[in-house]
Amino acid sequence: MTALHRIGVFDSGLGGLTVLNAICAANKGLSIIYFGDTARVPYGSRSVETIMHYAEQDVRFLLSKDVEAIVVACGTVSAIALSELHKTFPIPIIGVIEPACDAAANLTVTRHIGVIGTHATVHSSAYSNYINERYPDCTVSGIECPLFVPLIENGFREDDPISKMIVERYLSPIRNTDIDTLILGCTHYPFLIDTIRETLPGVQLIDIGVTLAETVGKTLPLSKSIGDNFVEYCFSDRETGFRRFDSEHLRSLPNGPIKAVNIESF
Amino acid sequence: MTALHRIGVFDSGLGGLTVLNAICAANKGLSIIYFGDTARVPYGSRSVETIMHYAEQDVRFLLSKDVEAIVVACGTVSAIALSELHKTFPIPIIGVIEPACDAAANLTVTRHIGVIGTHATVHSSAYSNYINERYPDCTVSGIECPLFVPLIENGFREDDPISKMIVERYLSPIRNTDIDTLILGCTHYPFLIDTIRETLPGVQLIDIGVTLAETVGKTLPLSKSIGDNFVEYCFSDRETGFRRFDSEHLRSLPNGPIKAVNIESF
């Protein structure tokens, strides 16, 4: 396989920037197009049909930018649409599910894995389907956390008492179970990771962005060139949310042009 | 003006159903098309350009259903797009701003009016522009409440401690001011009205859905026929959110067919 120089990374919004950051930290000399569908975020509360339609448009946009492989840095799209995207588009497309499940199955001692995610992710059974097939001795329990994304997108920090109360509400039911490993099934959730850790002491947390970035490095024949990465940031809505998010959370993102995309036309 | 038999009502999602309910309670024999843009809700955190584009698509969809007038049951669209919609489309289009401001100016003694709304609504200055022109002795203060819509859309009841804490966070700064009248500038907010009232004792609350429905009855020459209203419910995403919302909040909505709309094609 020839070395890849140009890849696409997409998310429903800004959470996938954590994945972009991890890929940039691990690889040099790549050209990366990031797309965030900020005009239609969040995906996780929408129907399967709508998520599928949006995901296909996102991929078609990235293909129009001549990317050679695509990283789905969105928990919801990975859970709902990945196998269909594989059938439809003839380039490598990597999602978060398999790397996260492999990491969790490798860590769990009790063989009981928890997955937190959006409504769509939890109802898709994508994690349990993969784990049941690959690690039949493991059990998976899913927990919906629909307010986590709005909290983060609206600038609530994880040490805010409101954030702590919402984390406690969603996650306290896990505390007295034998779940010893929890997949944070949305690329936004690492912004709450310290509070989640306090709420569930002793539970091992899997950051799907980190496991995804590791898998990208291992499975894609990325160009081993040197020099800076070239990143282009594309959004379906204005850039201001990105600049605010970046300054708060992601100071280390590489510089790059910011462009507006009419995603409906793809 | 000939009597109108068929009107359209739209919102970014489900909040506008409260307005539909009020219109149905006050008028009989009408045919009403409701459109909720559930595939792209929420509007209030998006850019002016995107909200304008979505609003024009929503209106074009309703025109394709042969409506004779349109009620904008969305605080964000009313604040951002109403004057442009008036220029573009040659039928009566009524929004929430003017009725709410007239009601507030009529009630306030201190002449200081508060408006709570989405990011887009508060930054539009739509309320203060109208009030400054029409009631120059009044002052308007706007307060963003971006988590209210996600709370309600995700089924948090207003007596939930999390809802109470978020209401307190956003509204406690109003408590020691001379604001004596508060416009609830989003059709979702009446679902929090009792908690808002407890948080701001003595402040008069304006429900924009109620004042809008009154204005519709006064200003549109609606057919005075008898018999049931015929309502058609159209959504850009699946209907399940609607059925859940209805059973919790809106038991009195008239029955009617539910249809899916590909809003991107308008």
Side-chain angles (χ1 to χ4, degrees):
Chain A
M1 215 164 167
T2 25
L4 307 182
H5 296 83
R6 191 171 174 81
I7 66 170
V9 177
F10 76 92
D11 180 31
S12 61
L14 304 172
L17 291 167
T18 59
V19 179
L20 176 77
N21 232 5
I23 293 173
C24 285
N27 300 279
K28 293 288 163 206
L30 275 180
S31 172
I32 308 178
I33 314 294
Y34 181 87
F35 175 68
D37 196 1
T38 48
R40 306 190 296 195
V41 69
Y43 283 7
S45 51
R46 312 209 192 277
S47 68
V48 168
E49 296 72 22
T50 295
I51 294 164
M52 196 77 79
H53 174 60
Y54 289 174
E56 287 174 354
Q57 288 179 317
D58 301 343
V59 169
R60 281 195 292 267
F61 162 67
L62 289 173
L63 290 177
S64 79
K65 305 284 282 182
D66 296 324
V67 300
E68 298 159 306
I70 289 176
V71 177
V72 182
C74 172
T76 300
V77 171
S78 296
I80 299 295
L82 199 62
S83 58
E84 285 301 314
L85 296 179
H86 283 152
K87 288 179 202 159
T88 310
F89 300 101
I91 66 165
I93 302 179
I94 299 183
V96 300
I97 311 287
E98 299 188 7
C101 289
D102 292 339
N106 199 35
L107 281 177
T108 176
V109 175
T110 61
R111 312 311 282 163
H112 192 174
I113 297 166
V115 179
I116 58 175
T118 63
H119 175 85
T121 296
V122 170
H123 282 255
S124 75
S125 306
Y127 288 91
S128 53
N129 289 346
Y130 179 78
I131 286 180
N132 290 342
E133 196 186 307
R134 193 78 171 247
Y135 309 100
D137 62 325
C138 287
T139 305
V140 178
S141 296
I143 301 102
E144 287 181 45
C145 301
L147 271 190
F148 282 1
V149 173
L151 263 185
I152 296 157
E153 294 268 344
N154 287 300
F156 280 78
R157 299 178 63 94
E158 66 172 321
D159 56 359
D160 189 302
I162 288 174
S163 305
K164 285 178 181 280
M165 195 171 184
I166 292 171
V167 170
E168 171 71 18
R169 172 72 59 87
Y170 287 140
L171 301 189
S172 61
I174 297 178
R175 212 155 32 215
N176 295 318
T177 68
D178 64 344
I179 291 173
D180 69 347
T181 306
L182 184 70
I183 297 173
L184 311 185
C186 173
T187 46
H188 282 82
Y189 296 176
F191 296 117
L192 297 171
I193 200 165
D194 290 337
T195 298
I196 294 171
R197 194 173 279 124
E198 278 168 26
T199 307
L200 298 175
V203 173
Q204 304 170 97
L205 305 181
I206 306 287
D207 178 335
I208 58 174
V210 172
T211 53
L212 175 60
E214 285 168 4
T215 298
V216 167
K218 280 183 209 155
T219 60
L220 288 182
L222 295 179
S223 159
K224 299 292 175 203
S225 49
I226 51 171
D228 291 339
N229 294 302
F230 172 79
V231 181
E232 190 175 300
Y233 298 94
C234 303
F235 298 104
S236 51
D237 202 357
R238 62 172 174 200
E239 60 187 68
T240 50
F242 167 62
R243 292 210 188 271
R244 193 176 59 220
F245 197 76
D246 183 14
S247 71
E248 283 171 14
H249 293 301
L250 294 159
R251 290 179 193 283
S252 56
L253 278 180
N255 288 322
I258 302 174
K259 297 189 177 168
V261 177
N262 176 11
I263 193 63
E264 282 180 11
S265 67
F266 287 91
Chain B
M1 214 164 164
T2 23
L4 306 183
H5 295 83
R6 191 171 176 83
I7 67 170
V9 177
F10 77 93
D11 180 31
S12 61
L14 304 172
L17 291 168
T18 59
V19 180
L20 177 79
N21 232 5
I23 293 173
C24 285
N27 300 278
K28 292 290 162 204
L30 275 181
S31 172
I32 308 177
I33 314 294
Y34 182 87
F35 175 67
D37 196 0
T38 48
R40 306 189 298 195
V41 69
Y43 283 7
S45 50
R46 311 209 193 277
S47 67
V48 168
E49 296 72 23
T50 295
I51 294 165
M52 196 76 81
H53 174 59
Y54 288 174
E56 286 174 355
Q57 288 179 316
D58 301 343
V59 169
R60 281 196 291 268
F61 162 68
L62 289 172
L63 291 176
S64 80
K65 305 284 284 183
D66 296 326
V67 300
E68 299 160 305
I70 289 176
V71 177
V72 182
C74 173
T76 300
V77 171
S78 296
I80 300 295
L82 200 62
S83 58
E84 284 302 312
L85 295 178
H86 283 152
K87 288 178 202 159
T88 311
F89 300 101
I91 66 165
I93 302 180
I94 300 183
V96 300
I97 310 286
E98 300 188 7
C101 290
D102 292 339
N106 200 35
L107 281 177
T108 176
V109 175
T110 61
R111 314 309 283 164
H112 191 173
I113 297 166
V115 178
I116 58 174
T118 63
H119 175 85
T121 295
V122 170
H123 283 255
S124 75
S125 306
Y127 288 92
S128 53
N129 289 346
Y130 179 79
I131 286 179
N132 289 343
E133 195 186 310
R134 192 80 172 247
Y135 309 101
D137 62 325
C138 287
T139 304
V140 179
S141 297
I143 302 101
E144 286 181 46
C145 301
L147 270 190
F148 282 0
V149 172
L151 263 184
I152 295 157
E153 295 267 345
N154 286 300
F156 279 78
R157 301 179 62 94
E158 66 172 323
D159 55 0
D160 189 301
I162 289 174
S163 305
K164 285 178 183 283
M165 196 172 183
I166 292 171
V167 170
E168 172 71 19
R169 172 73 59 88
Y170 286 140
L171 301 189
S172 59
I174 297 178
R175 213 156 32 216
N176 296 318
T177 68
D178 64 344
I179 291 173
D180 69 346
T181 306
L182 184 71
I183 296 172
L184 311 186
C186 172
T187 46
H188 282 83
Y189 296 176
F191 296 117
L192 297 171
I193 200 165
D194 290 336
T195 299
I196 294 171
R197 194 172 279 124
E198 278 167 28
T199 306
L200 298 174
V203 173
Q204 304 171 97
L205 305 181
I206 306 287
D207 178 337
I208 58 174
V210 171
T211 52
L212 175 60
E214 285 168 4
T215 299
V216 167
K218 280 182 206 154
T219 58
L220 288 181
L222 295 180
S223 159
K224 299 291 175 203
S225 50
I226 51 172
D228 290 339
N229 294 301
F230 172 77
V231 180
E232 192 174 299
Y233 298 93
C234 302
F235 297 102
S236 50
D237 202 357
R238 63 174 173 199
E239 60 186 70
T240 49
F242 167 62
R243 295 212 183 269
R244 192 177 62 221
F245 197 77
D246 182 15
S247 71
E248 282 170 13
H249 293 301
L250 295 159
R251 288 179 194 283
S252 56
L253 278 180
N255 287 323
I258 301 174
K259 296 187 180 171
V261 177
N262 176 10
I263 192 64
E264 281 180 13
S265 66
F266 288 91

